[in-house]
Amino acid sequence: MNSRTFRLSKILLVFLAGAMPALAGTLSGTVRNGTTGAVVPNQDVILIQLQGGMQSAETFRTDAQGRYTMDHPAIGQAPVLVRVQYRGVNYHQNVPPGQAAADIQVFESTASFDALHVFQRIIVLQPNSAVLLMGEEFSVHNESKPPVAVFKEDGSFLFDVPTGGELGQVSAAGPSGMPLVQGTIEKGKGRYAIAYPMRPGENNVRVSYQFPY
């Protein structure tokens, strides 16, 4: 094969690859209630694409054994999330590329904070031109027995921003370790809250804010 023919062959292969539709990836798993240990049948399972914001791509449903199977081009191409809304509380499971199975745990929930305690708090400061950037990371342990999620619509975790501080981004992560950006609820006098379900085990909350420097 001469060089001209070889180059034309490469161009044709690239063209055909671009013209072919993306193959659907497959993901399967089981939705289980972590409080009771029972599977959750007839439950909606939502595929969330992370590119371009958290976009709902498609909704699937578990069978009588709590199992689901989803086919979608986004699966396997980039990280995605799987969401289950159980009794009004959203539970997420991150799925990296190449992973074909993802079991999802949901929990019964309580509005009591008795089982929560802040195990660790880290503060980081960084001067940046005319502002002082500050970040706080809280390690929040949920030691409920039997295991339940701590959730309140008006705020499951409260934190303070010092006077003069401008609040930036707030994110939270459960035991699975996938941080999700949270909307904040203003409580007044520099106090804020997030309505995030604190799952049994270790949860992390990260808060950033800045001051004139």
Side-chain angles (χ1 to χ4, degrees):
M1 181 183 295
N2 61 41
S3 60
R4 177 180 174 81
T5 303
F6 180 71
R7 287 198 300 271
L8 289 174
S9 299
K10 287 178 66 177
I11 293 172
L12 180 60
L13 287 173
V14 171
F15 174 78
L16 290 174
M20 290 176 63
L23 297 176
T26 300
L27 182 70
S28 61
T30 302
V31 179
R32 188 176 298 275
N33 187 319
T35 302
T36 65
V39 298
V40 184
N42 304 315
Q43 172 69 53
D44 285 344
V45 181
I46 305 171
L47 177 65
I48 306 292
Q49 292 181 268
L50 299 178
Q51 294 179 337
M54 293 179 62
Q55 303 290 331
S56 300
E58 196 167 347
T59 301
F60 301 83
R61 201 164 180 83
T62 61
D63 60 19
Q65 286 73 46
R67 290 192 56 81
Y68 71 90
T69 299
M70 53 178 63
D71 298 297
H72 195 276
I75 299 173
Q77 304 299 315
V80 296
L81 285 178
V82 181
R83 173 191 293 164
V84 171
Q85 187 180 76
Y86 182 74
R87 302 191 188 282
V89 181
N90 288 329
Y91 296 91
H92 294 89
Q93 179 65 44
N94 60 304
V95 183
Q99 182 173 312
D103 293 336
I104 308 165
Q105 267 196 327
V106 299
F107 295 90
E108 302 301 318
S109 59
T110 177
S112 171
F113 294 132
D114 292 346
L116 292 184
H117 72 274
V118 176
F119 180 77
Q120 187 177 55
R121 179 188 182 192
I122 299 173
I123 302 176
V124 179
L125 299 88
Q126 178 184 348
N128 182 25
S129 187
V131 298
L132 177 66
L133 303 178
M134 296 190 65
E136 296 194 48
E137 181 170 346
F138 302 87
S139 176
V140 186
H141 288 203
N142 176 352
E143 298 178 348
S144 57
K145 295 180 181 179
V148 294
V150 176
F151 178 78
K152 291 184 69 176
E153 289 188 2
D154 63 346
S156 309
F157 182 80
L158 290 85
F159 61 92
D160 295 299
V161 174
T163 302
E166 180 182 341
L167 182 63
Q169 189 178 85
V170 181
S171 65
S176 64
M178 178 67 178
L180 297 175
V181 175
Q182 302 294 307
T184 56
I185 304 166
E186 190 168 356
K187 296 291 187 176
K189 297 183 179 180
R191 172 155 288 192
Y192 297 84
I194 57 172
Y196 180 81
M198 296 292 175
R199 301 189 192 187
E202 182 179 356
N203 302 266
N204 287 280
V205 178
R206 295 178 180 177
V207 179
S208 66
Y209 48 90
Q210 66 182 36
F211 293 93
Y213 183 60

